[in-house]
Amino acid sequence: MADVSNGEPCASVLELFNSIAAQGELVRSLKARKASKDEIDSAVKMLLSLKKSYKTATGDDYESNCPPGNQAPESPSGPEAPEGTEDFVDPWTVQTSSAKGIDYDKLIVRFGSSKIDKELINRIEKATGQRPHRFLRRGIFFSHRDMNQVLDAYENKKPFYLYTGRGPSSEAMHVGHLIPFIFTKWLQDVFNVPLVIQMTDDEKYLWKDLTLDQPYGYAVENAKDIIACGFDIKKTFIFSDLDYMGMSPGFYKNVVKIQKHVTFNQVKGIFGFTNSDCIGKISFPAIQAAPSFSNSFPQIFKDRSDIQCLIPCAIDQDPYFRMTRDVAPRIGYPKPALLHSTFFPALQGAQTKMSASDPNSSIFLTDTAKQIKTKVNKHAFSGGRDTVEEHRQFGGNCEVDVSFMYLTFFLEDDDKLEQIKQDYTSGAMLTGELKKTLIEVLQPLIADHQARRQEVTEEIVKEFMTPRKLTFDFQ
């Protein structure tokens, strides 16, 4: 699965131009085959959004017969970037000019998903008998597709399973990478269901300058960090695409079925592929789609193809599963349901990029207590004022302060978080005190994770990654 925690920097103008052309083709094909109004409207909204991004980047309206030179757009970046540039989100690119980050309400409209509202959160609480996870309470998981359908099934004692993933592009994972896994672990516990975790080492080989052995090695190392989140070995299967697809006819058969039902124009429209992309990239989306169908895992579900899948992931992965949901009924399978998370901000601000090549862009799972303290104090973008006097008088801005953003992800106590927000906004709490609070939350969290990872042996990894029957109570 492509990286589920944050995107890459903005696409080049030429890539944007090609994405608009492909999206226009998709709209025309949807209209030609009389697709549903919702599907056409969603595709048209995406087309208009791409055109708006193009005009922002170039200053000119998009013209189909006038391709640009292939240079990067002059895009604002850093915490001082002006408001107003349209957000751009796809599986590889997350671009915003706002220090507050992406406008998720607009993204819901553009992608055609549904907001996770109080009513749905209450329903999850009632169904599970458990207090909703802080990621739900605080809107970190904010959008869904068909979650009510999953709850209907659960309340009627019908089965479902979980699927999430990781694109292993380096040995080092950062705290942002943990977000989907922390939440998926909670879902596994409260619903008591099996889970499959896809390591898309094949994708990383196709997109990055790596040998085939490198991403597979990263997959095994990343699996140790994932296992350290506490997943139940009896209910969890972690698999490498490079390893598993060669030994599972059921999985590969589904890949081929999906490939047959998606045209080149559609895949260009959805993902912005160009004529110069290798054919491996063009065929890859079918591989990320295949785990959405239960008979891709015959060791777990035998030949059952009717078990619905629930996918917790960051919203940038949604294009893969819009494609999957379009294909599913045409090949006789249930559509996967989704729960979408927001993006985890880089230390330097919500519109900058976290990168494994920049150790100061995030807190890594290998960082020492001292490194965590130094990074937060030195690099975490502040919403505080220029002087103590001004801060005491006017207060700080929690909406752009990265230390406060990180606390919304990792501080469990809602009352304490609200008190911090009031104190910082009023000026009673200074930026240094806010950073100190974050450091006191992150240091034990990372230390505990490192201790659990230390206990994950090669044998444990091998067991998690061996195709086998899992323990569950499906009828």
Side-chain angles (χ1 to χ4, degrees), residues 442-458:
L442 285 178
Q443 284 177 331
L445 185 146
I446 300 297
D448 289 348
H449 180 88
Q450 289 168 350
R452 290 192 303 272
R453 191 190 194 280
Q454 201 72 34
E455 294 173 8
V456 179
T457 63
E458 297 293 333

Side-chain angles (χ1 to χ4, degrees), residues 177-233:
H177 292 138
L178 288 184
I179 303 308
F181 296 110
I182 290 170
F183 188 61
T184 302
K185 158 80 166 67
W186 180 81
L187 291 170
Q188 183 182 59
D189 289 347
V190 299
F191 286 106
N192 190 26
V193 288
L195 160 69
V196 296
I197 300 174
Q198 182 182 42
M199 309 297 280
T200 56
D201 40 11
D202 53 343
E203 176 212 15
K204 293 306 172 187
Y205 172 73
L206 292 167
W207 261 266
K208 294 184 177 290
D209 185 20
L210 300 169
T211 67
L212 263 176
D213 289 339
Q214 282 176 306
Y216 180 77
Y218 298 153
V220 172
E221 288 304 306
N222 288 181
K224 293 176 183 176
D225 279 308
I226 292 167
I227 292 165
C229 292
F231 291 106
D232 185 340
I233 197 166

Side-chain angles (χ1 to χ4, degrees), residues 51 129 203 234 256 266 290 317 330 369 387 410:
K51 286 183 175 179
E203 176 212 15
K234 294 177 183 175
V256 173
Q266 285 175 314
Q317 298 302 296
R330 291 189 277 143
T387 66
F410 295 117

Side-chain angles (χ1 to χ4, degrees), residues 151-386:
L151 292 170
D152 288 343
Y154 182 73
E155 288 162 359
N156 289 302
K157 310 292 186 203
K158 290 181 181 174
F160 75 92
Y161 70 101
L162 296 164
Y163 156 41
T164 192
R166 160 87 182 127
S169 55
S170 69
E171 285 186 24
M173 284 175 65
H174 54 63
V175 285
H177 292 138
L178 288 184
I179 303 308
F181 296 110
I182 290 170
F183 188 61
T184 302
K185 158 80 166 67
W186 180 81
L187 291 170
Q188 183 182 59
D189 289 347
V190 299
F191 286 106
N192 190 26
V193 288
L195 160 69
V196 296
I197 300 174
Q198 182 182 42
M199 309 297 280
T200 56
D201 40 11
D202 53 343
E203 176 212 15
K204 293 306 172 187
Y205 172 73
L206 292 167
W207 261 266
K208 294 184 177 290
D209 185 20
L210 300 169
T211 67
L212 263 176
D213 289 339
Q214 282 176 306
Y216 180 77
Y218 298 153
V220 172
E221 288 304 306
N222 288 181
K224 293 176 183 176
D225 279 308
I226 292 167
I227 292 165
C229 292
F231 291 106
D232 185 340
I233 197 166
K234 294 177 183 175
K235 298 189 179 81
T236 307
F237 174 45
I238 303 173
F239 65 99
S240 137
D241 284 344
L242 290 174
D243 200 28
Y244 181 64
M245 197 156 78
M247 68 170 78
S248 178
F251 190 93
Y252 185 61
K253 283 176 183 174
N254 278 339
V255 169
V256 173
K257 282 183 185 177
I258 296 158
Q259 287 172 340
K260 186 172 182 177
H261 287 80
V262 181
T263 68
F264 183 45
N265 277 346
Q266 285 175 314
V267 90
K268 282 202 299 182
I270 296 166
F271 300 101
F273 296 139
T274 68
N275 292 338
S276 59
D277 279 310
C278 73
I279 60 172
K281 289 183 180 182
I282 293 151
S283 62
F284 172 76
I287 298 171
Q288 185 157 319
S292 308
F293 307 131
S294 56
N295 61 349
S296 291
F297 306 99
Q299 302 89 346
I300 303 172
F301 304 113
K302 298 188 176 174
D303 58 355
R304 288 191 65 173
S305 59
D306 63 331
I307 302 172
Q308 189 172 20
C309 175
L310 173 62
I311 306 168
C313 63
I315 187 87
D316 61 338
Q317 298 302 296
D318 189 67
Y320 283 108
F321 302 113
R322 289 203 298 274
M323 182 198 82
T324 309
R325 284 166 56 84
D326 178 61
V327 169
R330 291 189 277 143
I331 57 177
Y333 298 150
K335 292 181 180 183
L338 286 102
L339 291 168
H340 299 126
S341 75
T342 59
F343 301 115
F344 190 81
L347 278 170
Q348 286 81 357
Q351 79 267 63
T352 60
K353 170 189 175 255
M354 279 184 290
S355 168
S357 61
D358 179 3
N360 296 320
S361 65
S362 189
I363 306 297
F364 285 79
L365 302 181
T366 50
D367 284 347
T368 64
K370 184 179 178 183
Q371 284 173 316
I372 293 167
K373 182 177 181 180
T374 301
K375 283 184 180 183
V376 172
N377 282 331
K378 194 172 178 182
H379 300 289
F381 181 70
S382 165
R385 302 288 174 170
D386 292 338

